[in-house]
Amino acid sequence: EADSDIVIQVGDAKNIRRALVISTQLAEMELPFVLALNMADEARSRGIKIDLEAIRKALGVTVISTVASQRKGIDRLIASIATAKTSPHRIRFSRPIEKAIKEITELLGDNVRGSRGLALSILSGDESLIPWLYRNLSEDKVRQIEAVRENTQARYPQPLGYVINLQRLQALDRLLHTIQATEDVKADRAVQHPLKSLHPLVTLSVLGGMIFGLHMLTAINPVFALLALPLLILTLYMLGDWGMHPVLGIPVLLVVLYFTWVFVGSFGAGTAVDFLQDTVFGRLVNPASSWILKHVLPWELARELFIGDYGIVTMALTYAFAIVLPIVGTFFIAFGILEDSGYLPRLAVMVDRIFKRMGLNGKAVLPMILGLGCDTMATLTTRILDTKRERIIVTLLLALGVPCSAQLGVILGMLGAPGVPVSVAIIWAGVVLLILFKVGYLAGKLMPGEKTDFILEVPPIRMPQLENIVVKTLARIEWYVKEAVPLFVAGTLVLFISDKLHLLQAVQNLAAPLVQGFLGLPAKATEAFIVGFLRRDYGVAGFYQMSQAGELDLVQMLVGLVTVTLFIPCLANFLVIIKERGLKTAVYMSLFIIPYAFLIGGILNWVLRITGAYK
């Protein structure tokens, strides 16, 4: 690495021992760094008192106490970056290990920065360094280094990596006695968390009253759906610790989903969409664009490109800003609350048992939850999984049936619309979850490999900070506008050109036996599947528009939503799958997902029709 590299190490103030393990390794690698001990407020609430000055003297670097969720100490942390320096702190290991370190550093040469750290990594058995060694050293020196490691290992009955880590922890434990103490803060805890001292039955009664009251108010006026937001926050704060219980966690999840559904479905997809679509675009933007273009562009074809049935303004921008943006914007707010409160790690713990039945490492929970934000980014995070088998299975599940935030927001908007029974949402969620579990279970059985353990630190439930929610929501909206809107325009151009070349009608006729016959959907649904490959939420927006126009009955809505949820991933995710898993794997996944999505949609259509549901 370059000499100018600087590391900001963010440690947990509640678990300073683990933070110092990394600090000593950064010191051995001779990397300049600043140590930020975060969640200092939680450390104090648990009675942990840390002597920051003692840590500074021991490590010889800048140490800052921070509370990131409240932005406390962040300014001092940023200012300290300019003065970051390497730490002179060194742990002295036993004589044989120190002798081996000296011999390896001499073989590495004087021009290697952090040679002591590299030597310790080599002795610990870090195989990822082997390619680097062969690129930078002669084969003879590599053999000598391996001989040093083998000779040193012969001196100890345990693996050398275990011995080194044990000696490091013993040295740090001696240091901890001088920098950390505990104090009694039970009274402070009672003051900080008064709601958590309530009896569970009282809590459930309060919760039931909130749900009933919200239901009655939204029936009077959909604007009252805004109350779902503070009720969601209160629920997370009151019941968050129940969220990882294998039994109690299920009703907590259902309540969280209910408040999210009301806020996104009733307010986002109802009040907000109606205002933007009918008032802003229906009465202002679209008529004004039509008037201007009629006076500026004399060519009918050019005008249709902007204000026709497949026009950039009347379709692409209307879908992007009047339909999708208010829905995903409200979902971004709700998702930000779930993140900032600390509920998502609890959800990961609760569903860990389900993932183990699929033969997956519990870490698979994390990319799946991140997939609710963005499947493309979640596919990249599958790198944290330990085996290729696990990475392939999770990538398949993400591509198959984990809706991203934009798509999920529009789906919740449709399911939460007035007149749509709750049973439609339950069937949609049940079918998608069942398919995910079935495919994951079969993939886990068919693909060989070993199971690995899942270890996750669960943070305490926090009251979400308004500033954090605003920053996250605005960042996600900016991402949506930059990434999604151009693809909406591109998708509209595809439909416009296909329509003018009479290809769209030909595709609809070709797909009629499948889309209209097997799925029982209108011919226009073909367009939603076409553009859904560019952006998953664009495809759902097509169904949303058909639903608002009265072109879908409840069975068609349900079949369409299930099929488009299980449909092929968006273009960006497909390209990332190629990058991460290879072209062959990406193609195989697509060849499985597309027909399977239509198969499940067709079976659902047949079952609903034959049972006479929603007549």
Side-chain angles (χ1 to χ4, degrees), residues 529-541:
F529 290 119
I530 293 173
V531 298
F533 177 62
L534 292 175
R535 282 282 306 185
R536 297 178 100 177
D537 48 319
Y538 196 5
V540 183

Side-chain angles (χ1 to χ4, degrees), residues 5-298:
D5 287 348
I6 293 175
V7 175
I8 299 177
Q9 182 199 349
V10 181
D12 185 352
K14 307 187 304 297
N15 196 341
I16 194 170
R17 184 180 191 234
R18 184 169 60 188
L20 290 178
V21 169
I22 299 175
S23 299
T24 58
Q25 291 172 324
L26 290 173
E28 289 159 356
M29 296 301 295
E30 298 178 24
L31 290 169
F33 72 98
V34 175
L35 175 58
L37 290 177
N38 194 35
M39 296 188 282
D41 56 335
E42 292 172 12
R44 286 192 297 271
S45 71
R46 297 187 182 193
I48 300 172
K49 187 177 180 181
I50 300 170
D51 188 343
L52 295 179
E53 188 58 35
I55 302 178
R56 293 188 188 106
K57 290 180 178 178
L59 296 180
V61 298
T62 303
V63 182
I64 306 291
S65 175
T66 63
V67 182
S69 62
Q70 301 173 22
R71 298 194 63 80
K72 291 182 179 178
I74 301 299
D75 291 339
R76 287 185 290 117
L77 177 61
I78 294 173
S80 68
I81 294 174
T83 60
K85 56 185 178 180
T86 58
S87 169
H89 181 77
R90 299 291 184 270
I91 289 177
R92 305 305 299 178
F93 295 92
S94 58
R95 189 171 299 173
I97 293 177
E98 286 293 339
K99 180 175 179 292
I101 292 171
K102 184 174 182 296
E103 292 175 356
I104 292 177
T105 53
E106 289 175 353
L107 290 169
L108 290 174
D110 297 331
N111 297 325
V112 177
R113 185 177 69 169
S115 57
R116 180 180 176 85
L118 285 171
L120 283 165
S121 296
I122 293 168
L123 290 171
S124 298
D126 187 351
E127 295 183 357
S128 66
L129 290 173
I130 294 176
W132 182 89
L133 290 172
Y134 278 102
R135 283 198 308 269
N136 294 273
L137 301 175
S138 65
E139 290 188 16
D140 181 59
K141 284 190 175 182
V142 174
R143 282 194 296 269
Q144 290 181 56
I145 289 174
E146 184 58 33
V148 171
R149 185 186 181 282
E150 291 176 357
N151 293 335
T152 308
Q153 176 63 77
R155 303 288 298 272
Y156 299 93
Q158 300 94 354
L160 201 51
Y162 171 81
V163 175
I164 290 172
N165 190 52
L166 182 62
Q167 293 185 16
R168 189 192 303 276
L169 290 175
Q170 289 171 344
L172 289 176
D173 285 340
R174 291 191 292 271
L175 175 62
L176 280 172
H177 285 296
T178 65
I179 62 177
Q180 180 176 308
T182 58
E183 54 187 3
D184 188 4
V185 291
K186 291 182 180 179
D188 291 339
R189 290 179 191 169
V191 172
Q192 287 183 350
H193 305 291
L195 294 174
K196 295 183 180 181
S197 62
L198 293 177
H199 191 278
L201 291 178
V202 176
T203 303
L204 290 174
S205 300
V206 172
L207 189 64
M210 293 191 306
I211 294 174
F212 179 76
L214 180 63
H215 177 73
M216 297 298 294
L217 289 173
T218 51
I220 297 172
N221 192 326
V223 175
F224 283 113
L226 274 172
L227 293 175
L229 213 54
L231 293 180
L232 173 63
I233 295 172
L234 191 58
T235 299
L236 292 170
Y237 193 58
M238 286 173 35
L239 305 181
D241 287 333
W242 295 4
M244 53 187 170
H245 192 279
V247 177
L248 296 176
I250 295 175
V252 172
L253 174 61
L254 294 177
V255 172
V256 168
L257 290 176
Y258 172 76
F259 286 132
T260 304
W261 174 62
V262 170
F263 177 62
V264 176
S266 295
F267 179 74
T271 306
V273 168
D274 289 345
F275 173 73
L276 288 171
Q277 187 178 18
D278 298 337
T279 304
V280 177
F281 275 80
R283 298 179 185 177
L284 298 174
V285 176
N286 289 345
S289 300
S290 179
W291 185 87
I292 292 172
L293 290 172
K294 284 180 180 178
H295 289 80
V296 173
L297 293 176

Side-chain angles (χ1 to χ4, degrees), residues 284-470:
L284 298 174
V285 176
N286 289 345
S289 300
S290 179
W291 185 87
I292 292 172
L293 290 172
K294 284 180 180 178
H295 289 80
V296 173
L297 293 176
W299 307 283
E300 179 67 22
L301 183 64
R303 290 198 297 270
E304 287 186 13
L305 175 62
F306 289 94
I307 57 173
D309 291 338
Y310 302 105
I312 292 174
V313 176
T314 51
M315 186 175 187
L317 297 185
T318 301
Y319 273 33
F321 290 103
I323 296 178
V324 179
L325 181 59
I327 298 175
V328 302
T330 50
F331 183 78
F332 287 158
I333 294 172
F335 193 74
I337 290 172
L338 297 179
E339 283 182 316
D340 210 49
S341 67
Y343 173 71
L344 292 182
R346 284 164 171 75
L347 178 61
V349 172
M350 188 188 73
V351 300
D352 177 47
R353 292 186 179 182
I354 298 175
F355 279 79
K356 285 182 178 178
R357 290 183 178 273
M358 292 187 279
L360 287 172
N361 183 324
K363 290 181 184 176
V365 177
L366 303 179
M368 298 287 278
I369 291 177
L370 290 174
L372 295 174
C374 176
D375 284 316
T376 304
M377 295 299 105
T379 301
L380 290 172
T381 63
T382 57
R383 297 175 183 177
I384 69 172
L385 303 180
D386 297 322
T387 66
K388 181 180 179 181
R389 166 185 174 273
E390 292 168 341
R391 291 191 287 270
I392 290 176
I393 294 176
V394 174
T395 300
L396 172 62
L397 296 180
L398 285 168
L400 173 64
V402 178
C404 65
S405 57
Q407 185 187 35
L408 182 58
V410 181
I411 290 173
L412 290 177
M414 291 183 65
L415 297 175
V420 179
V422 178
S423 59
V424 174
I426 295 173
I427 293 174
W428 169 80
V431 171
V432 172
L433 291 174
L434 179 63
I435 294 303
L436 281 174
F437 179 78
K438 177 185 175 183
V439 172
Y441 180 80
L442 292 175
K445 291 294 184 182
L446 294 174
M447 296 186 67
E450 297 181 356
K451 299 179 182 179
T452 50
D453 294 327
F454 173 48
I455 300 174
L456 175 67
E457 181 177 355
V458 179
I461 284 292
R462 287 175 169 270
M463 182 64 70
Q465 301 295 310
L466 178 61
E467 183 180 5
N468 293 346
I469 306 302
V470 171

